[in-house]
């Protein structure tokens, strides 16, 4: 049990990749705390997670709430940030800048603020793992905002790995995974996306949250890796 007695905090741990990561970490012996901005999401996730998991409620775009969250949590060993609203896909000619800023507020500035608040409380040997996506390297039309966030997060990982050393800072770069990330698409469009993506991938299927969770847990335990972005995409960058 590689994570026995480690305190793992998963921000965004109530659904999708975050929920799967919280579950796997708990099953590997960790004491897990999840956090969400919605009390009902936290309660629903707790019912699905192993006994002993704790939940907190905080708006991750509110710096005061983030600071108070980590004050309550105290010392921790690993921070995982998977929080994010469904994808905001928009072309430049129809772009809503307020929506674009909101997308950055959760996925980039939320992550940066969480690291700022957590870093003084992370024990020696601890780690931070953020979330990126292959859109940063292979964007499609309409992905300018989403791809920009991915690029910003990956640059942040490299900078923080230097600034916060010897604390380890990494990210997981995910491909197409069946999660609520795609819930803004109509169901028929979503299933068509999954089918077309699976047909193009060397692996022959889109990812499950559990596939990506294994990468997050691996980076918690891999003590000689920092400033790295681990790709989990079924070969999406090759397709």
């Amino acid at each position: 049990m590689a994570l026995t007695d480690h305190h793992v905090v998963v921000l965004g741990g109530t659904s999708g990749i975050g929920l799967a990561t919280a579950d796997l970490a708990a099953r590997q012996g960790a004491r897990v705390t999840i956090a969400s901005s919605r009390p009902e999401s936290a309660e629903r996730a707790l019912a699905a997670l192993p006994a002993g998991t704790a939940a907190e409620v905080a708006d991750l775009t509110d710096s005061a709430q983030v600071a108070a969250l980590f004050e309550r949590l105290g010392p921790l060993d690993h921070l995982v940030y998977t929080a994010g609203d469904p994808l905001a896909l928009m072309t430049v000619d129809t772009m809503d800048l307020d929506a674009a800023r909101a997308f950055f507020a959760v996925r980039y500035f939320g992550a940066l603020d969480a690291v700022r608040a957590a870093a003084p409380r992370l024990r020696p040997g601890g780690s931070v793992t953020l979330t990126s996506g292959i859109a940063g390297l292979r964007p499609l039309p309409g992905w300018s905002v989403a791809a920009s966030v991915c690029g910003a997060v990956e640059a942040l990982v490299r900078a923080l790995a230097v600034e916060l050393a010897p604390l380890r800072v990494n990210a997981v770069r995910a491909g197409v995974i069946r999660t609520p990330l795609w819930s803004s698409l109509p169901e028929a469009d979503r299933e068509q996306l999954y089918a077309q993506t699976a047909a193009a991938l060397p692996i022959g299927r889109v990812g499950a949250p559990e596939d990506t969770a294994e990468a997050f847990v691996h980076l918690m335990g891999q003590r000689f890796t920092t400033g790295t972005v681990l790709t989990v995409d079924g070969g999406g960058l090759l397709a």
Side-chain angles (χ1 to χ4, degrees):
M1 303 285 275
L3 296 178
T4 298
D5 297 328
H6 288 209
H7 185 193
V8 175
V9 176
V10 184
L11 303 185
T14 58
S15 67
I17 291 170
L19 180 64
T21 301
D23 182 69
L24 182 57
R27 295 182 186 281
Q28 293 207 4
R31 177 169 66 90
V32 176
T33 302
I34 59 173
S36 172
S37 61
R38 301 178 181 88
E40 62 276 13
S41 297
E43 292 176 9
R44 185 170 58 250
L46 279 182
L49 289 168
T53 305
E56 293 278 349
V57 176
D59 180 352
L60 299 179
T61 65
D62 184 321
S63 191
Q65 289 193 38
V66 171
L69 169 65
F70 284 98
E71 185 68 29
R72 294 193 301 272
L73 291 175
L76 65 149
D77 297 284
H78 306 285
L79 171 66
V80 173
Y81 194 95
T82 62
D85 295 326
L87 282 174
L89 301 182
M90 57 189 86
T91 57
V92 171
D93 60 334
T94 62
M95 184 167 293
D96 180 338
L97 284 179
D98 287 336
R101 291 187 183 100
F103 199 65
F104 264 87
V106 177
R107 293 180 172 273
Y108 177 80
F109 288 108
L112 178 59
D113 195 31
V115 175
R116 177 198 59 80
R121 296 174 172 81
L122 279 156
R123 296 186 180 102
S127 72
V128 171
T129 311
L130 306 182
T131 305
S132 181
I134 64 171
L137 298 179
R138 289 198 65 177
L140 297 171
W143 283 74
S144 57
V145 174
S148 298
V149 170
C150 293
V153 167
E154 294 183 16
L156 177 63
V157 162
R158 292 187 289 272
L160 290 177
V162 173
E163 181 175 339
L164 300 180
L167 179 69
R168 294 177 291 112
V169 184
N170 297 291
V172 174
R173 181 191 291 133
V176 177
I177 311 293
R178 286 182 177 268
T179 72
L181 176 74
W182 306 98
S183 62
S184 60
L185 296 177
E187 183 177 0
D189 293 346
R190 190 164 62 244
E191 290 303 321
Q192 183 180 21
L193 168 71
Y194 292 152
Q196 290 176 342
T197 301
L201 290 176
I203 294 295
R205 64 174 177 87
V206 297
E210 292 75 15
D211 296 318
T212 317
E214 291 177 357
F216 280 96
V217 171
H218 168 75
L219 288 171
M220 291 181 211
Q222 176 37 264
R223 293 179 176 271
F224 201 59
T225 298
T226 193
T228 291
V229 182
L230 178 58
T231 300
V232 183
D233 68 346
L237 290 177
L238 304 175

